[in-house]
Amino acid sequence: MRTLIRISAAAGLLALSGLAISPLLAQDGPPPQPGVQRMGPGGPGGPGGPGFGPGQRGPMGLLGELGRGFRELNLTDEQRQQMRGVVESHQAEFAEIGERLRAARQGMDALITADTVDEAAIRAKSADIAAVEADAAVLRARLHQEVFALLTPEQQAKAKELRAQAEQRRQERAERFQERRQRRQKPQQQ
């Protein structure tokens, strides 16, 4: 349970990080400057570097499949600039929600690992976490809407197509996972 909370906290903080989208918007941007550390798939410095791991580069990133499919949308330089502006305009909100979520999850961890179980306090803290997560979801939806509005109708159609393809892949992975799980359970049941 404790590990699940830690994983959720890490994922939540990464989900709220406005920095996670910046490399996706870079596309064919300027080359990295010496001494400037970039966020790579493993956090600062690239793979294996410190950080939370893939997180928002996953299928449900800050902008869902729209985030992953930027390269396939053939964005103009102007669109990339506008999108950077949209993301930057929300960075303070993401940071504030991230801090609220971190604090709420730390409070939950303290309640769970306390010497005595205070069910009412745990339920209240769960409600606090849910409220912060709802605020984060609303902010992500606003960000997605603002960025989606910057796309041409053709790009919007392509983004929807990418989203449908990703959903199909997720479904196929879930089915394969379920099949593997069932195969592992059969020998144990015999």
Side-chain angles (χ1 to χ4, degrees), residues 37-91:
Q37 196 174 39
R38 290 187 45 154
M39 293 293 287
F52 292 110
Q56 288 311 315
R57 294 181 204 318
M60 293 308 292
L62 281 175
L63 297 173
E65 280 307 311
L66 180 58
R68 289 182 72 111
F70 276 138
R71 293 189 194 281
E72 294 184 47
L73 296 178
N74 298 320
L75 300 173
T76 65
D77 289 340
E78 183 180 352
Q79 284 175 313
R80 283 195 300 273
Q81 272 304 107
Q82 290 172 331
M83 289 180 186
R84 281 188 196 104
V86 168
V87 171
E88 289 171 4
S89 73
H90 291 289
Q91 278 187 327

Side-chain angles (χ1 to χ4, degrees), residues 110-129:
L111 290 169
I112 289 171
T113 59
D115 293 335
T116 59
V117 175
D118 185 347
E119 186 175 334
I122 291 171
R123 290 183 185 281
K125 188 55 71 176
S126 292
D128 291 347
I129 291 170

Side-chain angles (χ1 to χ4, degrees), residues 5 8-9 12 100-110 129 133:
I5 291 173
S8 297
R100 285 174 45 210
L101 186 60
R102 185 194 60 73
R105 290 187 189 268
Q106 280 183 338
M108 176 64 87
D109 191 41
I129 291 170
E133 288 175 345

Side-chain angles (χ1 to χ4, degrees), residues 1-180:
M1 178 76 168
R2 189 174 181 162
T3 302
L4 180 61
I5 291 173
R6 285 186 178 158
I7 291 170
S8 297
L13 287 174
L14 189 57
L16 299 174
S17 171
L19 297 175
I21 192 82
S22 298
L24 296 171
L25 296 176
Q27 234 175 327
D28 297 321
Q33 298 173 1
V36 175
Q37 196 174 39
R38 290 187 45 154
M39 293 293 287
F52 292 110
Q56 288 311 315
R57 294 181 204 318
M60 293 308 292
L62 281 175
L63 297 173
E65 280 307 311
L66 180 58
R68 289 182 72 111
F70 276 138
R71 293 189 194 281
E72 294 184 47
L73 296 178
N74 298 320
L75 300 173
T76 65
D77 289 340
E78 183 180 352
Q79 284 175 313
R80 283 195 300 273
Q81 272 304 107
Q82 290 172 331
M83 289 180 186
R84 281 188 196 104
V86 168
V87 171
E88 289 171 4
S89 73
H90 291 289
Q91 278 187 327
E93 294 170 273
F94 277 110
E96 186 266 331
I97 287 176
E99 179 56 34
R100 285 174 45 210
L101 186 60
R102 185 194 60 73
R105 290 187 189 268
Q106 280 183 338
M108 176 64 87
D109 191 41
L111 290 169
I112 289 171
T113 59
D115 293 335
T116 59
V117 175
D118 185 347
E119 186 175 334
I122 291 171
R123 290 183 185 281
K125 188 55 71 176
S126 292
D128 291 347
I129 291 170
V132 176
E133 288 175 345
D135 290 345
V138 169
L139 183 55
R140 284 185 58 215
R142 285 188 191 135
L143 177 68
H144 184 274
Q145 182 182 36
E146 289 179 41
V147 169
F148 201 74
L150 297 173
L151 301 177
T152 65
E154 295 81 17
Q155 289 170 326
Q156 289 177 356
K158 179 68 174 177
K160 289 177 182 177
E161 177 186 325
L162 292 170
R163 190 175 301 127
Q165 290 171 359
E167 182 56 36
Q168 182 178 358
R169 286 191 305 269
R170 271 192 295 278
Q171 187 66 33
E172 290 168 359
R173 279 192 307 268
E175 290 170 5
R176 286 193 307 267
F177 175 77
Q178 188 65 24
E179 289 170 7
R180 286 192 305 266

